[in-house]
């Protein structure tokens, strides 16, 4: 079973469903970046309480099966 991801902004309550192609993107096809590694987010980088960047905005990454 593949893991699905949601990006969550606790300040605004906004939730963004992410799509996986070769890399992850939001519904507007904006790439998801790992700001700690300064590269495009890949599933092997996933850790609990992780932050990602989408269109220069930070979100908490929530993984679910």
């Amino acid at each position: 079973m593949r893991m699905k991801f949601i990006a969550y902004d606790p300040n605004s309550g906004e939730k963004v469903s992410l799509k996986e192609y070769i890399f992850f993107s939001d519904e507007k096809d904006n790439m998801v970046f790992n700001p700690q590694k300064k590269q495009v987010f890949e599933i092997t980088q996933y850790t609990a309480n992780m932050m990602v960047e989408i269109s220069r905005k930070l979100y908490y990454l929530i993984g679910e099966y």
Side-chain angles (χ1 to χ4, degrees), residues 19 25-30:
K19 301 180 286 185
S25 65
D26 67 3
E27 55 272 338
K28 296 179 183 174
D29 292 329
N30 295 310

Side-chain angles (χ1 to χ4, degrees), residues 8-53:
Y8 174 69
D9 180 0
N11 297 322
S12 68
E14 177 184 15
K15 291 182 182 179
V16 178
S17 295
L18 303 180
K19 301 180 286 185
E20 181 181 10
Y21 296 109
I22 295 171
F23 297 104
F24 285 89
S25 65
D26 67 3
E27 55 272 338
K28 296 179 183 174
D29 292 329
N30 295 310
M31 299 296 288
V32 179
F33 291 92
N34 180 343
Q36 292 177 339
K37 295 190 179 262
K38 297 182 181 9
Q39 66 184 38
V40 175
F41 171 73
E42 296 177 7
I43 197 165
T44 57
Q45 300 169 354
Y46 177 69
T47 61
N49 300 323
M50 183 175 185
M51 298 286 290
V52 293
E53 182 179 339

